[in-house]
Amino acid sequence: MYRTHFVRDITPDLDNQEVGLAGWVLNVRDLGGKKFILLRDKTGIGQVVLSKDSPSFGLANELTQESVISVKGRVKADKRAPKGVEIHASEVILISKAKTPLPLDVTGKVKADIDTRLRERLLDLRREEMQAVIKIQSTAVRAFREALYKKGFYEIFTPKLIATGTEGGAQLFTVIYFGKEAFLAQSPQLYKELMAGAVERVFEIAPAWRAEESDTPYHLSEFVSMDVEMAFSSYKDVMETLEEIIKNMITKVREECGDELKILNYELPEIKLPLRRITYIEALEILKNKGLNIKFGDDIGTPELRVINEEIKEDLYFITDWPTLSRPFYTKARDDNKDLSESFDLIFRFLEIVSGSTRNYRREVLESALKARGLNPSSFEFFLRWFDYGMPPHAGFGMGLSRVMLMLTGLQNVKEIVPFPRDKKRLVP
Ligand code: AMO
C-alpha cells in the first residue's frame, strides 16, 4: 500500500501515529540538519520533515518539483507547522522523478496563456484551480443524476455511431463504418425519443460531436450533453423539471464545494423558482426598444442576449416559443399558431446553456416538418416507422455540461473546463 491517509486527514489529534502518505513534491527547503518537503495529494498540501539521521536524507536532493514520492513517518502536532501538524519521515521513496525545468508552473504563480495551459495540460490540471473545477463538475453531475433518479428516470446509453444527423447537416463528423458513410452523434435526440416511447422517463450523460467551424469561448467539437426525455409531457412540464434539476445542482455545489468556490474566488448565482420566462416575440421587442432590429425567424445570438440581459437583469431565464422553422424538425408547433413552437432555451446571463421542446409525435407531422426543412423523410424511416406503433406525446431537453460549468465556476471559456478539449486546431493532447 502506498498510503494509509490523505493529507487532509492528518490532523493534530493523530499525534505520534505511524502513517503513510503519497503524492507530488511541491518544494523542498533545506535547513541544514533538516529538510522540509511540501507534499501535495488530491486533498491538499502537507509538510514532511526529514532529519539527518533518516536513511532517506540523501535522497532529498533528488526530489525535483512534481516528482512522485511515498512517505512513511510519524505524525507530530506542532503549532509552527502549517495546519499545526507535520510528518517526521522515517522513509521517503522516490517513485517517479520529474524532469526539470517544468514547462508550466503548477503553483500558478507564473501565469500561462490558454494555449500553453492546454498544451501542458496534465501539469495544468494539477493546479488547485483546475482541481476545484474537476470536483465541482463531479458534484454537479451527481446532483443532476440524483435529481432524476429521485423522479423515477432511468439512465440510458444510446448509439454514438449513427446514420443521419438531427441538429443540422453542416456540423456532422463523418466516419467510415465498414466501408459505408456514417456519422458521430450530434445529440442523442432521436434515440432518447424512442426510449421515452418504451420506458417513458429517461436521461443520458454522454459525449456529442459537432464540427464547429468558429473558435468561440462557448463551442467545442466534442462536448458532454446531458439529455432528458419525458413521455406524456409538454415543454412546460419539462421546464419545471429542469428548474428543479438546476436548483439541485447549484445547491449541492454550494453545500459540498465551499473550499473550491473560494479557490476560484466565485460566488454562485442565487436563484428563485420559478425562473423568469419571456417569449421570443417579447425578446425581439426588448431588442427593438434598444435599437436592434432582429427579423422574425432569426436567431438571438450571444451579443443580443447580452443586451436582453442588461434589460431583464436575471442570472437565469427562459426564452420560449421560438419560431417553428428556426428549430429542428422534431419540435412541435403551437396548436394556436403554427409559426411558433413549443420550445425554450435556458439562458445564463447571455449564454444558452439548455435547449428543449415538446416533440412531434404524429408521423404525418414529422414528415411534413422534415420536408419543410429540405430533408428527405425516407432517410429518417428508421425513426419514423415507430410512430406507427403508439408513440406517446413527449418532451425533453439537452444541457451542455461545460456551459453549465461556466455558471458554476465563474470561468469564461469552455476550453478551460474540459480537461482535454477538442476544437478545430486540437486533437492532442
Ligand atoms: P442544442 O443543439 O441546442 O439542442 O444543444 C443543446 C445544448 O448543448 C450545448 N451545446 C454545446 N456545448 C459546447 N459546444 C458545442 N459545440 C455545443 N453545441 C451545443 C448547449 C446547448 O444548449 N437535441 C437538442 C436538445 C433537445 O431538444 O433535447 C439539442 O441538441 O448548452
Side-chain angles (χ1 to χ4, degrees):
M1 212 178 14
Y2 290 103
R3 60 155 68 97
T4 59
H5 291 74
F6 282 102
V7 164
R8 188 183 42 210
D9 304 326
I10 305 289
T11 51
D13 44 298
L14 294 187
D15 192 33
N16 228 13
Q17 195 171 313
E18 279 287 335
V19 295
L21 294 177
W24 290 262
V25 174
L26 190 65
N27 82 36
V28 180
R29 270 182 308 137
D30 189 344
L31 296 186
K34 276 185 183 168
K35 310 229 182 202
F36 288 90
I37 305 166
L38 288 184
L39 175 144
R40 184 192 73 241
D41 69 15
K42 68 175 282 230
T43 66
I45 295 163
Q47 178 156 290
V48 175
V49 186
L50 202 58
S51 58
K52 237 183 184 135
D53 49 6
S54 158
S56 306
F57 190 72
L59 184 78
N61 301 327
E62 289 190 51
L63 300 182
T64 52
Q65 195 186 354
E66 290 308 295
S67 288
V68 175
I69 57 171
S70 67
V71 174
K72 278 205 186 97
R74 204 173 277 283
V75 178
K76 282 276 171 264
D78 186 332
K79 289 210 174 68
R80 291 165 301 175
K83 293 179 206 138
V85 70
E86 59 193 17
I87 316 293
H88 286 208
S90 52
E91 182 186 53
V92 175
I93 297 174
L94 177 55
I95 297 174
S96 175
K97 185 169 174 171
K99 269 213 267 194
T100 54
L102 294 171
L104 189 97
D105 177 22
V106 175
T107 66
K109 281 190 197 115
V110 183
K111 298 271 178 256
D113 61 35
I114 180 102
D115 284 332
T116 309
R117 287 180 49 204
L118 292 178
R119 192 178 63 237
E120 309 302 341
R121 191 58 155 166
L122 185 58
L123 292 173
D124 187 51
L125 294 177
R126 291 186 194 154
R127 291 189 312 112
E128 66 173 359
E129 284 84 1
M130 285 312 300
Q131 306 246 320
V133 169
I134 294 166
K135 179 172 169 199
I136 290 171
Q137 177 165 291
S138 174
T139 306
V141 170
R142 181 157 46 79
F144 178 91
R145 277 206 171 89
E146 276 168 4
L148 287 158
Y149 276 122
K150 246 191 224 153
K151 289 177 176 296
F153 282 74
Y154 293 148
E155 183 160 12
I156 57 161
F157 305 92
T158 61
K160 301 302 161 207
L161 285 166
I162 56 165
T164 47
T166 52
E167 317 294 331
Q171 298 175 323
L172 282 168
F173 279 113
T174 309
V175 290
I176 304 302
Y177 190 68
F178 299 112
K180 275 196 303 228
E181 186 183 64
F183 307 103
L184 291 176
Q186 292 163 307
S187 139
Q189 184 63 36
L190 305 187
Y191 289 97
K192 70 173 174 170
E193 287 192 48
L194 295 181
M195 292 298 285
V199 290
E200 300 198 29
R201 292 180 164 215
V202 295
F203 76 94
E204 178 169 20
I205 302 172
W209 292 269
R210 294 186 192 184
E212 298 284 357
E213 286 292 333
S214 47
D215 186 14
T216 83
Y218 312 116
H219 290 88
L220 296 159
S221 321
E222 179 178 78
F223 65 97
V224 173
S225 183
M226 302 169 85
D227 280 87
V228 163
E229 203 65 27
M230 295 164 65
F232 301 104
S233 301
S234 72
Y235 71 137
K236 300 227 160 115
D237 305 316
V238 165
M239 283 157 75
E240 277 176 28
T241 303
L242 171 58
E243 285 178 328
E244 285 175 45
I245 293 170
I246 285 274
K247 177 128 199 182
N248 197 45
M249 292 169 85
I250 294 177
T251 306
K252 283 281 151 61
V253 170
R254 184 173 285 125
E255 283 171 4
E256 296 177 22
C257 302
D259 291 346
E260 288 70 22
L261 291 166
K262 249 188 233 137
I263 287 170
L264 296 172
N265 194 16
Y266 182 62
E267 250 175 65
L268 290 168
E270 296 281 348
I271 60 158
K272 268 206 298 295
L273 301 190
L275 298 175
R276 174 101 178 257
R277 290 154 164 67
I278 60 166
T279 64
Y280 174 85
I281 301 276
E282 285 164 347
L284 292 197
E285 279 299 311
I286 293 174
L287 290 169
K288 199 167 156 201
N289 291 337
K290 297 269 178 183
L292 282 170
N293 269 315
I294 303 288
K295 271 203 323 294
F296 179 84
D298 284 353
D299 193 23
I300 300 178
T302 302
E304 292 84 31
L305 289 172
R306 284 181 196 273
V307 174
I308 293 172
N309 185 224
E310 270 167 32
E311 180 67 22
I312 72 171
K313 298 186 176 66
E314 299 273 356
D315 284 326
L316 274 173
Y317 55 97
F318 286 108
I319 302 182
T320 70
D321 301 76
W322 290 72
T324 308
L325 282 175
S326 74
R327 306 293 276 209
F329 74 93
Y330 50 78
T331 312
K332 183 179 174 297
R334 262 169 50 172
D335 292 325
D336 61 339
N337 180 350
K338 296 288 176 205
D339 292 335
L340 295 173
S341 62
E342 299 191 2
S343 59
F344 64 86
D345 282 357
L346 178 63
I347 315 294
F348 169 57
R349 295 182 189 151
F350 53 83
L351 180 66
E352 172 205 324
I353 58 174
V354 183
S355 113
S357 61
T358 315
R359 321 302 192 185
N360 286 320
Y361 68 99
R362 295 193 190 285
R363 184 185 175 118
E364 61 285 4
V365 178
L366 279 163
E367 283 177 0
S368 52
L370 281 163
K371 283 185 201 144
R373 288 160 184 78
L375 297 164
N376 183 353
S378 66
S379 315
F380 289 84
E381 188 53 26
F382 77 95
F383 174 65
L384 297 174
R385 63 184 291 253
W386 302 111
F387 290 74
D388 292 335
Y389 299 106
M391 189 58 84
H394 56 285
F397 67 78
M399 174 190 288
L401 174 59
S402 42
R403 290 197 189 175
V404 171
M405 280 297 292
L406 299 183
M407 173 181 81
L408 297 175
T409 60
L411 297 192
Q412 305 292 321
N413 188 334
V414 290
K415 286 169 203 163
E416 284 192 82
I417 303 280
V418 174
F420 299 102
R422 293 289 174 258
D423 61 23
K424 214 175 166 189
K425 54 179 195 206
R426 280 188 193 84
L427 200 50
V428 291

